[in-house]
Amino acid sequence: MTFTITSPRQILVGGGVVARIAETLATFGLSRPLVVSDPFMVSSGLIQRCLEPLAKAGVRHSVFSDTVPEPVDTVIAAGVEVIQRGDFDCLIGFGGGSPIDTAKAMAILAAGGGTMADYKVPHQADLAALPVIAIPTTAGTGTEVTRFTVITDTARDEKMLIAGLAALPLAALVDYELTFSVPPRTTADTGVDSFTHALEAFVSRRANPYSDAQALAAMRLIGAHLRRVYREPKNAAAREAMMLGATLAGLAFSNSSVALVHGMSRPIGAHFHVPHGLSNAMLLPAVTRYGLSHAQPRYAEAARVAGFAAAGDSDEVAAEKLAAGLVTLNADLDVPGPRQYGIDEATWNAKLDLMAAQALASGSPGNNPRVPEAGEIVTLYREVWASGRNAA
């Protein structure tokens, strides 16, 4: 078996490691960062956890904070203009997945020009104008350690998957103390997102021994702590476990792949502006059940390590417990269905064929244990709508 392993050159993990940002820059001979963040990080003051150590070390820096949830190509273009007007030697992505994904995309577009649509898969984006140091403030996306970024094409309402070494951060500072103020809804959504990363990496047709090890470790941590951190947001042990689990899940899918959940999730985000983790959560139970028969031993092992099934359960029983358990998990985390989120049913139905086509075009469904056709994806979208309606 031949496979490739990629990861940042350095990953600092632990409470308070954000204070070592200037030290991290110095390690790599960097001294002129542009910090890419968002308006909330600035208004809440959380960004000072990054900026104060830079200032104390005498590191000259600037901030680009015009990023938006679910990054869009127009913001990336504006960020590149800031790069071109300045004298920067690196980018620091500080915030949730959106600022970090934005920083990655800015580095890619600044290197090659054109538009972000020029870089979507199957193109391999391996050239970056500047290295990226990632500091996540949520436990979910794993983007701090992945070779992917997802950017919306505003002209076509399409979430584009962009992949390549240019999207891989040079370093990551994974500090769970930055997540204490994350609200319960975001905690739940990003937590299910990270579990989805690990599960899809484990059952993917591109799974390998390295990604398996990271995925299993991630599912063990997330399965044991997700409900707790949702109920007890100040629980330090749970926050720490979830942060590590999210990073391990990121390493897993970056070295394997995501699959059908993510392929179907991106169009929901693009057309209905549903946060990425939440759209994954909406889809995960139905899509998991759809694939059970094609990778039953893998789904069963995932169920055991995540605590959905007992060690002595047969594969058939454990896999079924996983599918049922994900429904219960969504209920415990108050995950809304599409209708409860506020999506109009007629609009949802009118976009099903387009969303199915966009899901397939992303390539992710081809990694699923059971590879769907467009009509099957439409059926799954309808099932997700109906399950959400019945839960209301």
Side-chain angles (χ1 to χ4, degrees):
M1 182 182 215
T2 300
F3 56 94
T4 300
I5 297 172
T6 61
S7 69
R9 288 174 63 184
Q10 184 181 78
I11 306 173
L12 298 179
V13 181
V17 296
V18 66
R20 296 171 60 182
I21 180 58
E23 172 189 329
T24 300
L25 294 181
T27 296
F28 298 106
L30 303 170
S31 61
R32 302 185 309 280
L34 173 63
V35 180
V36 179
S37 194
D38 63 38
F40 177 76
M41 291 293 127
V42 174
S43 64
S44 68
L46 192 61
I47 197 172
Q48 295 303 318
R49 298 285 297 276
C50 173
L51 301 186
E52 287 175 0
L54 293 176
K56 184 177 180 180
V59 176
R60 180 173 59 87
H61 58 273
S62 297
V63 176
F64 174 73
S65 61
D66 293 338
T67 68
V68 296
E70 312 302 317
V72 296
D73 53 359
T74 52
V75 170
I76 308 305
V80 169
E81 290 181 4
V82 174
I83 291 175
Q84 293 171 340
R85 292 196 304 266
D87 177 29
F88 306 106
D89 62 4
C90 63
L91 302 176
I92 298 173
F94 182 89
S98 295
I100 297 173
D101 271 8
T102 297
K104 292 179 175 187
M106 286 166 56
I108 291 168
L109 188 62
T115 68
M116 288 312 306
D118 298 327
Y119 300 94
K120 71 177 183 177
V121 293
H123 179 89
Q124 281 294 302
D126 290 331
L127 180 63
L130 299 170
V132 174
I133 288 84
I135 307 177
T137 60
T138 61
T141 70
T143 190
E144 68 272 9
V145 293
T146 76
R147 56 186 177 87
F148 304 111
T149 182
V150 178
I151 305 299
T152 296
D153 182 331
T154 51
R156 293 182 301 205
D157 278 337
E158 177 186 2
K159 272 195 172 185
M160 303 176 293
L161 176 62
I162 296 161
L165 294 177
L168 184 68
L170 173 68
L173 282 67
V174 181
D175 186 342
Y176 73 89
E177 292 181 358
L178 296 175
T179 70
F180 280 124
S181 60
V182 175
R185 179 73 270 141
T186 304
T187 294
D189 296 344
T190 54
V192 177
D193 189 21
S194 61
F195 186 82
T196 305
H197 291 152
L199 178 61
E200 290 206 298
F202 188 62
V203 303
S204 166
R205 290 170 176 260
R206 298 174 63 185
N208 58 70
Y210 177 83
S211 63
D212 284 353
Q214 313 308 314
L216 289 168
M219 286 188 285
R220 185 172 288 109
L221 287 166
I222 297 164
H225 293 92
L226 177 51
R227 286 181 175 90
R228 180 172 299 160
V229 80
Y230 180 62
R231 295 191 303 264
E232 305 170 26
K234 299 301 183 183
N235 187 311
R239 287 288 186 190
E240 183 175 22
M242 287 299 299
M243 198 67 161
L244 180 57
T247 297
L248 292 172
L251 287 168
F253 86 83
S254 187
N255 288 282
S256 173
S257 63
V258 289
L260 181 55
V261 173
H262 277 74
M264 292 178 62
S265 176
R266 296 185 198 106
I268 295 176
H271 293 287
F272 300 106
H273 308 293
V274 178
H276 173 69
L278 179 54
S279 58
N280 278 349
M282 291 176 180
L283 292 161
L284 185 58
V287 173
T288 297
R289 182 171 292 283
Y290 170 82
L292 285 184
S293 62
H294 285 62
Q296 188 180 79
R298 290 239 153 193
Y299 282 115
E301 184 63 15
R304 296 184 191 104
V305 301
F308 290 98
D313 286 338
S314 68
D315 285 355
E316 181 179 4
V317 169
E320 176 58 35
K321 284 185 175 179
L322 175 64
L326 291 173
V327 174
T328 302
L329 178 65
N330 274 5
D332 291 345
L333 299 178
D334 302 308
V335 173
R339 182 172 72 86
Q340 291 75 40
Y341 186 75
I343 297 173
D344 175 71
E345 184 173 9
T347 307
W348 174 269
N349 289 333
K351 291 186 178 291
L352 293 183
D353 289 336
L354 174 59
M355 292 199 299
Q358 290 176 337
L360 287 172
S362 75
S364 297
N367 303 320
N368 209 58
R370 179 180 177 184
V371 179
E373 297 179 349
E376 293 176 291
I377 293 179
V378 169
T379 298
L380 283 168
Y381 278 133
R382 293 188 186 280
E383 182 180 335
V384 168
W385 180 276
S387 63
R389 179 188 63 215
N390 294 337

